[in-house]
Amino acid sequence: MSKSNQNLPSSLNDAVLKASEAVPEDYTKIEGIDYTKPEATDMRASDLIGAMKNMGFQASNVGRGCEIIDKMRSWRGKHIDELEEHQRKGSFDDDGYQKTTIFMGYTSNLISSGLRETLRYLVQHKMVSAIVATAGGIEEDLIKCLAPTYLGDFALKGGPLREKGLNRIGNLLVPNDNYCKFEEWIVPILDKMLEEQEKYVSEQGSSCFDANSEVDSPMWTPSKLIDRLGKEINDESSVLYWAHKNQIPIFCPAITDGSIGDMLFFHTFKSSPKQLRLDIVSDIRKINSLSMEASRAGMILLGGGLIKHHIANACLMRNGADYAVYINTGQEFDGSDAGARPDEAVSWGKIKAEAESVKIYVDATVVFPLMVAATFASGKVATKI
């Protein structure tokens, strides 16, 4: 107790001026960026992230998220020549070393936004292994190849927008004409896919639909449909185009929950009594098998809901992911999976207890471009660790 406080009532000392225990030496001191220093002028993204790491709150979580991303993308295991034939599964780098299988998930609003170009960069340069998206995350990528989305305002009223044929996504505007162009583009592709399906069935017989058939299933799956659409769009601005080109599967178990669902619905009337079929069971087997074969698994989840759970549940099949970075604004008080923190997934076996994980409570459009600039696009080369 200092001399100046000796005359205070003991109850005040106990309540207000209680002595502290010594702070451990390994505790991080909170400090921010000193812009009076030359090195703080026009900082590189990686330097800015490094400085934010000690600021506290979500800034520190952003720094932690970048550390985890760098670890998941730089981990290297054994060379393929060191492995037995049955062990040669999972992801390998160009030099033949095992690497982390990175699952990336995003919701449709992020493709509608300008984050689409950041996501395309990762797929274009083979920096992720597999993707899970919502239906809007598929169709909005394609629609943007046909017509632009515009900046509006969160306060624009729905009634007047409806009269003008404008659809609002937050502060973005999508004209109805965009969806008309999408319908004109996709229907001939659905016609061709149905024709290919019917031809295969006529050649192989209806027994080829049997789950125990010895021939490959002629049925389309959501991921095969998405791959075909990526091939057909043939546009380098598209995420789906690069996923097709680089053979990165995109899964969408709720493929009918959007404009694509509308197109498939309309197509059933056009093609009746024939019908295009999509097999979701084959896709759940495919994504779960990717997880089970992974030497290490990482999750980068932008948003919540279906995309978050679908990837996490796939990682359950290997007893949990090794790395996890969540970026969303969901809260956990209502028990929703969207708002759940990584530790809840640990209890289900979807993330390993010893895994490195973080949740960043922020709009992904604010921080993910910065995080990609500081990690994937930083020029740092992955090294065997």
Side-chain angles (χ1 to χ4, degrees):
M1 182 190 304
S2 66
K3 290 182 179 180
S4 62
N5 295 330
Q6 287 179 348
N7 295 327
L8 290 175
S10 59
S11 60
L12 286 181
N13 278 317
D14 292 340
V16 182
L17 301 171
K18 183 177 177 61
S20 303
E21 292 184 1
V23 177
E25 292 183 2
D26 61 349
Y27 272 36
T28 299
K29 178 183 176 182
I30 294 298
E31 54 186 356
I33 304 167
D34 185 352
Y35 288 104
T36 65
K37 295 182 178 180
E39 61 267 26
T41 301
D42 198 17
M43 299 175 73
R44 296 183 305 171
S46 55
D47 294 331
L48 179 60
I49 290 290
M52 289 171 61
K53 187 171 62 176
N54 296 333
M55 291 176 65
F57 304 135
Q58 297 310 302
S60 291
N61 282 351
V62 171
R64 178 66 180 140
C66 287
E67 286 182 344
I68 295 171
I69 287 174
D70 271 338
K71 287 183 178 180
M72 76 168 77
R73 76 189 190 94
S74 64
W75 177 83
R76 292 295 181 271
K78 294 181 178 181
H79 192 273
I80 193 168
D81 292 340
E82 301 177 62
L83 302 171
E84 300 292 334
E85 186 69 31
H86 69 280
Q87 297 175 317
R88 295 178 181 180
K89 297 179 179 180
S91 301
F92 293 84
D93 68 9
D94 292 340
D95 295 321
Y97 289 96
Q98 294 172 315
K99 67 176 184 177
T100 303
T101 297
I102 300 178
F103 295 92
M104 182 171 71
Y106 51 77
T107 47
S108 63
N109 56 319
L110 300 180
I111 286 290
S112 300
S113 78
L115 195 62
R116 172 182 180 243
E117 281 64 33
T118 301
L119 300 173
R120 187 216 68 220
Y121 168 82
L122 297 178
V123 177
Q124 179 179 352
H125 295 278
K126 304 180 184 179
M127 293 175 172
V128 296
S129 310
I131 292 170
V132 175
T134 55
I138 305 304
E139 64 208 22
E140 292 296 323
D141 176 67
L142 298 166
I143 290 169
K144 278 188 168 182
C145 296
L146 307 173
T149 296
Y150 299 92
L151 182 64
D153 193 285
F154 285 103
L156 292 175
K157 297 296 183 182
L161 289 177
R162 181 63 177 168
E163 291 295 323
K164 297 176 182 178
L166 297 174
N167 305 284
R168 183 167 66 83
I169 305 171
N171 63 345
L172 312 181
L173 294 175
V174 186
N176 267 346
D177 287 349
N178 290 22
Y179 296 98
C180 296
K181 292 176 181 177
F182 180 54
E183 180 179 13
E184 292 172 0
W185 178 80
I186 198 173
V187 167
I189 298 172
L190 298 179
D191 288 341
K192 181 63 176 174
M193 289 173 63
L194 177 60
E195 179 184 326
E196 292 171 14
Q197 175 187 288
E198 292 300 306
K199 179 182 178 182
Y200 193 94
V201 172
S202 67
E203 292 174 349
Q204 299 293 334
S206 59
S207 62
C208 65
F209 283 107
D210 190 342
N212 297 318
S213 173
E214 294 183 1
V215 298
D216 291 335
S217 172
M219 293 177 68
W220 294 95
T221 66
S223 65
K224 288 180 182 177
L225 166 63
I226 293 164
D227 181 73
R228 179 63 171 269
L229 297 177
K231 176 184 178 181
E232 296 288 349
I233 198 64
N234 194 28
D235 188 318
E236 292 188 0
S237 72
S238 165
V239 177
L240 269 59
Y241 166 83
W242 287 107
H244 164 74
K245 190 175 180 66
N246 292 330
Q247 298 183 306
I248 297 171
I250 300 181
F251 299 96
C252 184
I255 190 69
T256 56
D257 187 33
S259 181
I260 288 181
D262 298 341
M263 300 303 114
L264 290 168
F265 172 61
F266 298 155
H267 195 257
T268 62
F269 293 96
K270 180 178 183 292
S271 62
S272 181
K274 298 176 182 178
Q275 182 174 312
L276 187 67
R277 298 176 182 273
L278 295 178
D279 178 8
I280 63 172
V281 177
S282 291
D283 263 3
I284 193 65
R285 184 182 177 98
K286 184 175 181 179
I287 189 172
N288 286 356
S289 296
L290 281 174
S291 171
M292 293 167 66
E293 293 170 358
S295 303
R296 285 198 182 181
M299 305 191 294
I300 301 176
L301 305 178
L302 311 177
L306 178 144
I307 62 99
K308 178 173 179 282
H309 183 265
H310 202 63
I311 291 175
N313 202 67
C315 287
L316 169 62
M317 303 302 153
R318 64 181 308 277
N319 201 29
D322 300 282
Y323 312 96
V325 176
Y326 294 2
I327 304 176
N328 68 51
T329 56
Q331 302 295 314
E332 65 180 345
F333 65 85
D334 61 358
S336 70
D337 180 74
R341 291 178 293 127
D343 191 59
E344 183 174 304
V346 173
S347 77
W348 290 87
K350 297 169 184 176
I351 297 176
K352 291 180 179 178
E354 67 275 15
E356 300 197 52
S357 63
V358 68
K359 174 169 177 174
I360 306 167
Y361 291 81
V362 69
D363 171 6
T365 64
V366 176
V367 299
F368 197 58
L370 177 60
M371 295 176 71
V372 169
T375 55
F376 292 104
S378 66
K380 288 184 272 185
V381 179
T383 55
K384 188 176 185 296
I385 59 174

